[in-house]
Amino acid sequence: MAYVITEACIDVKDGACVVCCPVDCIYEGSRSLYIHPDECINCGLCVSVCPTRAIYDAHDLPTELREYERINSEFFGPAVTALGSPGGACDVGSTGIDHPEIRSYTRQ
Ligand code: F3S
């Protein structure tokens, strides 16, 4: 189980999590960043540096944010970026792509 980026990242994209991630598993979309569920080593460093508190251990996701576990995972799948598991976000760069639910997200 990995860490998960949730709605507080959308249109903020502070980037502190990317800098501290020891395995470079946080990938950039257009409006949000996404943690790769298979590349994340569950160290939790990103949680403490995110200024918007957007990151949760998947086990601790509040009910209203549970869908973000699926969204982070689907971001890497064939229906969104088809990135698979590239093994590092640095070489990928900004994808310019968001999960459809993030693309259409409207802050309440
Ligand atoms: Fe987003 Fe927080 Fe990282 S705002 S880019 S999850 S530091």
Side-chain angles (χ1 to χ4, degrees):
M1 200 59 81
Y3 282 80
V4 172
I5 292 181
T6 65
E7 67 182 2
C9 180
I10 300 172
D11 298 330
V12 178
K13 294 173 62 181
D14 176 83
C17 57
V18 174
V19 176
C20 78
C21 178
V23 294
D24 194 25
C25 74
I26 306 177
Y27 292 75
E28 185 176 359
S30 180
R31 298 184 69 190
S32 181
L33 277 78
Y34 303 83
I35 294 178
H36 197 297
D38 300 326
E39 296 178 0
C40 174
I41 59 169
N42 302 309
C43 71
L45 276 174
C46 55
V47 174
S48 56
V49 300
C50 176
T52 66
R53 299 177 179 271
I55 307 176
Y56 292 82
D57 184 317
H59 292 294
D60 298 330
L61 277 166
T63 307
E64 68 274 16
L65 297 175
R66 285 230 52 98
E67 64 198 359
Y68 282 85
E69 182 179 6
R70 174 183 53 77
I71 288 170
N72 276 249
S73 178
E74 288 179 352
F75 176 75
F76 300 93
V80 185
T81 62
L83 278 173
S85 186
C90 230
D91 290 342
V92 173
S94 179
T95 64
I97 298 170
D98 278 307
H99 187 282
E101 290 169 54
I102 303 299
R103 198 182 318 133
S104 63
Y105 174 85
T106 305
R107 200 170 294 284
Q108 300 300 310

